[in-house]
């Protein structure tokens, strides 16, 4: 991603630094927004002034409290980094913690049975490998509490079926996690590997589609 404002090179340096100490920082769009924001504001000052910080912190139309909080927090951390490098930058104050309005939906046992039955019996084109993957993928997500992208990024070496655990790489907080597999999930993964993956010439990811 290219940055054109006065902070551009330091933004790239900051992202490289954060990744070097274990943070994933997959989504860097906030920094692109900040770069464009400083250009629009006529920024000729590395870092932030208090006035610029206040404008950046203003809530935007249709922006949720969560998005605003994270957007401001990203630039607070960037400002702290600049301060540590010796730049005379203003460090914005943190917004009050937001309260999530998300209400989780809890499936009943009967609904889960129906869901996994549907996964096992879904009708797909006979040459598609999805019919082998979906039943295991959804059970992995459910059994280990994974996000979809975390499950899909599992590599073959991340799934240890001898000892019954998986390694989830570069999670949301930038670290790796080791998660146990239940006996039933372990057995399903073994059947999947023997019945499907073992027939492939090579594969890198555990949920591999031909």
């Amino acid at each position: 991603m290219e940055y054109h404002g006065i902070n551009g090179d330091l933004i790239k340096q900051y992202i490289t630094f954060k990744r070097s100490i274990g943070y994933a920082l997959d989504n860097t769009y906030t920094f692109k927004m900040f770069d464009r924001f400083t250009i629009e504001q006529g920024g000729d000052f590395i870092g932030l002034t208090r006035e610029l910080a206040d404008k950046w912190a203003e809530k935007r139309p249709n922006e949720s409290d969560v998005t605003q909080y994270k957007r401001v927090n990203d630039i607070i951390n960037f400002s702290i980094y600049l301060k540590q490098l010796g730049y005379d930058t203003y460090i914005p104050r943190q917004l009050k913690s937001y309260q999530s309005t998300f209400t989780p939906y809890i499936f009943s046992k009967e609904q889960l049975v129906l869901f996994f039955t549907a996964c096992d019996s879904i009708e797909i084109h006979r040459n598609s490998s999805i019919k082998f993957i979906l039943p295991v993928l959804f059970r992995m997500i459910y059994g280990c509490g994974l996000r979809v992208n975390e499950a899909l990024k599992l590599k073959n070496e991340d799934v240890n079926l001898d000892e019954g655990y998986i390694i989830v790489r570069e999670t949301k907080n930038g670290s790796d996690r080791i998660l146990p597999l239940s006996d039933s999930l372990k057995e399903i993964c073994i059947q999947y590997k023997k019945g499907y993956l073992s027939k492939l010439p090579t594969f890198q990811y555990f949920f591999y589609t031909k």
Side-chain angles (χ1 to χ4, degrees), residues 17-179:
F17 166 71
K18 294 293 281 186
R19 287 173 174 168
S20 73
I21 60 175
Y23 288 87
L25 275 186
D26 291 331
N27 185 4
T28 57
Y29 184 66
T30 295
F31 299 102
K32 184 64 178 177
M33 290 171 56
F34 177 70
D35 181 61
R36 186 164 59 243
F37 170 78
T38 57
I39 294 173
E40 292 170 351
Q41 297 297 320
D44 56 359
F45 177 88
I46 290 179
L48 286 89
T49 61
R50 182 166 186 165
E51 180 184 10
L52 200 64
D54 288 343
K55 285 186 178 180
W56 173 256
E58 290 175 359
K59 194 168 186 178
R60 302 180 178 186
N62 302 317
E63 184 178 48
S64 69
D65 292 343
V66 176
T67 302
Q68 180 193 22
Y69 181 91
K70 292 180 177 178
R71 176 172 58 79
V72 173
N73 189 64
D74 281 343
I75 301 308
I76 288 174
N77 290 329
F78 176 60
S79 298
I80 292 171
Y81 173 76
L82 293 180
K83 198 79 170 180
Q84 291 172 339
L85 292 180
Y87 290 99
D88 183 20
T89 180
Y90 175 75
I91 298 177
R93 61 182 177 83
Q94 182 57 275
L95 299 177
K96 291 182 180 179
S97 297
Y98 59 86
Q99 291 185 343
S100 175
T101 57
F102 173 71
T103 302
Y105 181 84
I106 308 300
F107 287 93
S108 66
K109 291 183 179 180
E110 292 76 14
Q111 288 173 318
L112 287 171
V113 169
L114 290 173
F115 176 77
F116 288 119
T117 299
C119 289
D120 295 339
S121 58
I122 189 170
E123 293 185 7
I124 298 175
H125 188 277
R126 59 188 177 88
N127 292 325
S128 174
S129 57
I130 294 295
K131 60 185 177 183
F132 302 108
I133 294 171
L134 285 185
V136 187
L137 174 63
F138 283 119
R139 284 175 170 86
M140 182 74 79
I141 291 171
Y142 172 73
C144 295
L146 302 181
R147 296 177 177 84
V148 174
N149 67 313
E150 290 176 337
L152 293 176
K153 288 197 298 185
L154 286 172
K155 294 185 178 180
N156 185 44
E157 62 265 25
D158 297 331
V159 182
N160 189 320
L161 298 179
D162 293 327
E163 299 183 33
Y165 67 84
I166 62 173
I167 302 175
V168 185
R169 309 285 184 183
E170 296 184 355
T171 59
K172 191 174 181 180
N173 64 3
S175 60
D176 296 345
R177 286 186 294 157
I178 298 178
L179 300 174

